[in-house]
Amino acid sequence: MFLTVSTTYQPATDLGFLLHKHPDRVHRFDTAAGPAHVFYPEATDARCTAALLLEVDPVGLVRGSSRSTGRRGQAGGGRDTAGAHYVDDRPYAASSLLAVAMAAVFSTAMAGRCRARPELVTTPLPLSIRLPSLPCRGGGADLVRRLFEPLGWQVEANPLPLDPNFPDWGDAPHHDVTLTGTALLADALTQAYVLLPVLDDAKHYHVGRDEIDKLVREGARWLPGHPEQRLIARRYLAHRSGLATAALTQLSVAEDLTAEGIPDGFEPGRLTSDATEPDPAANAEPDRTMETGLTTNPEPGLIQAAGQGPSTVPSTVPGAVPGAVQGADADPVNGDGTPELPLAEQRRRAIMAELRTAGARRVADVGCGAGRLVARLVADRAFTEIVAVDVSHRALELTARRLHVEQMSDRDRERVRLVVSSLLYRDDRLTGMDAIVLSEVVEHVDPPRLPVLADVLLGHARPGTLLITTPNREYNVRYDGLPPGVLRHRDHRFEWTRAEFTAWIGDLVAGYPYRARIGGIGADDPEVGQPTQLAVLELAAPERGANR
């Protein structure tokens, strides 16, 4: 199977820098499906083409067919006859096999990283992508246009005959497809990566909840506004409606779903029916990013659906309270001279200190991730109600594991709730909490949606205290190996400077009855500040009394 990417950006050979593959060499990679080769049929300043050729082992496919999942969840791609083992389009058709090879060979390019030419990562390039044999099942050329044209591509899709020697046999579902347009290379590659198996309507491997992670990660920049997002999610996730709904919710489209369409917890016979595969992340410790995918169920009924050093408050923040936000509970350098605490631990200590200072007893950690802060809250008996909130089922599963819910006392079970919910629609279960924590979350939200987030939290939920932490973009220059202009995490939609964060907090206190303190967490650099920014928003006294 074959794919080419061409550009006329000049010098066109800069494509080699973006793909991390030198145009003068033939590159070979071993993949599970067979050897993959990257080479350049043409490489001039005027035009450069990179080709990915995957040599699929047809015998290996037959031997592994019992372990694979194909079209509509049938083993071996839905081919249920013995003869189908010998008449198989997998060795030449662009499918999930090619998508997996793309992820293996072009992972750095898909992540949008290029140390040699960092400016090219954010430069839209004139591109042409050709897939000479692309299955377009259940829609043909029209389906290709429905999927790619909303993304800005011009589509040429020519049907291929079943056999050129027998025209009466008609056309195959395969098309010779060429996409032409101007786009970021990372976006072009991730769009092809996601949409190849969507067009084929099949995958060569079992589709479980970890596939939600892939769809959300690769589609985060372009899928939420796509008119065919539901079709894409359904086909990408093998027509498993529970997985598709969870993915759409994760992609921040929950406000467009009906209440019946939003996953409402680990309901026997519903979500549990999708939770039979082994958990590949059973021992993982992911960061507080928006992860998805549930593999085993926690206790039924527990999960419910739906800085260190002083930093004065800038005078530009209306309603700001003079004073400082203190960082970690203890000196981040141990007495025996060992290195300072990890920044994530410093954040948790700073948040705990602020919650104690606020006298909060009922606390919600929104975007709780794997539940490290939640575990810290549960261990402190001063907190009488702890609500862990995430749009991701898998994140809440990891939180449940961390809390050992099956071993919890009845008293602790009454203190803790795990809630599936989105930041972008109102949820009465969060109304009137003493404090809501939003730690390393806002940077995962598309900027146009931030006003909705503010209205949901400060207008509707209206906690006594809202704690927000987010990266300080200025500090990124202190991280070795992070190219200029590249964000700290692939899923970050933005990262603010201190001035930008201060301006946003100023807008919040101007629009809602809150006052703010702003500071930082982590080592304070005299030039670029602290790595994490922290804002504490406190509800004005009359409003706080009404809240209670």
Side-chain angles (χ1 to χ4, degrees), residues 107 110-113 186 190 217-218 221 487-493:
S107 60
M110 290 170 63
R113 294 195 299 269
T190 56
R217 182 177 64 246
E218 306 302 342
R221 290 174 56 88
L487 304 182
R488 295 185 198 177
H489 192 277
R490 183 177 180 178
D491 188 54
H492 287 183
R493 308 303 199 269

Side-chain angles (χ1 to χ4, degrees), residues 43-59:
T44 68
D45 287 346
R47 182 179 174 86
C48 186
T49 297
L52 170 61
L53 173 65
L54 177 64
E55 297 183 78
V56 176
D57 177 9
V59 176

Side-chain angles (χ1 to χ4, degrees), residues 487-539:
L487 304 182
R488 295 185 198 177
H489 192 277
R490 183 177 180 178
D491 188 54
H492 287 183
R493 308 303 199 269
F494 62 87
E495 288 172 3
W496 278 318
T497 65
R498 288 170 291 175
E500 290 168 338
F501 183 58
T502 296
W504 183 63
I505 296 298
D507 290 341
L508 295 184
V509 299
Y512 298 94
Y514 282 80
R515 56 185 185 177
R517 292 182 285 124
I518 294 179
I521 302 170
D524 197 353
D525 186 287
E527 296 180 359
V528 297
Q530 295 168 276
T532 294
Q533 305 188 74
L534 170 63
V536 181
L537 285 80
E538 298 171 319
L539 192 61

Side-chain angles (χ1 to χ4, degrees), residues 189-209:
L189 293 175
T190 56
Q191 288 162 11
Y193 170 82
V194 170
L195 296 179
L196 289 184
V198 170
L199 285 160
D200 190 30
D201 202 13
K203 284 191 174 178
H204 67 282
Y205 54 87
H206 179 78
V207 175
R209 289 192 172 272

Side-chain angles (χ1 to χ4, degrees), residues 276-428:
T276 57
E277 64 271 22
D279 184 4
N283 299 316
E285 295 285 353
D287 198 0
R288 295 166 60 87
T289 53
M290 302 296 188
E291 296 186 85
T292 57
L294 172 66
T295 52
T296 57
N297 288 327
E299 185 70 20
L302 180 64
I303 297 182
Q304 303 178 4
Q308 170 191 342
S311 298
T312 57
V313 179
S315 59
T316 55
V317 180
V321 178
V325 175
Q326 300 298 324
D329 293 342
D331 190 336
V333 178
N334 296 327
D336 59 4
T338 54
E340 67 178 18
L341 294 171
L343 182 59
E345 174 61 18
Q346 293 184 54
R347 277 198 298 266
R348 287 189 287 272
R349 294 192 178 197
I351 291 168
M352 293 294 291
E354 286 295 335
L355 292 173
R356 295 184 188 112
T357 299
R361 297 175 63 81
R362 302 171 60 242
V363 179
D365 183 9
V366 178
C368 65
R372 291 181 178 86
L373 179 63
V374 174
R376 196 71 56 85
L377 293 167
V378 172
D380 190 331
R381 294 288 181 180
F383 301 104
T384 59
E385 182 179 351
I386 301 113
V387 183
V389 182
D390 207 288
V391 75
S392 162
H393 288 71
R394 181 176 176 223
L396 294 177
E397 160 65 12
L398 294 173
T399 297
R401 289 182 185 173
R402 186 179 301 279
L403 298 178
H404 300 289
V405 294
E406 71 283 354
Q407 301 172 15
M408 270 187 173
S409 66
D410 291 342
R411 179 182 177 186
D412 281 339
R413 287 176 188 273
E414 294 174 357
R415 295 170 60 217
V416 181
R417 285 186 294 150
L418 275 63
V419 172
V420 178
S421 189
S422 167
L423 278 171
L424 300 177
Y425 66 91
R426 296 182 174 189
D427 192 328
D428 290 339

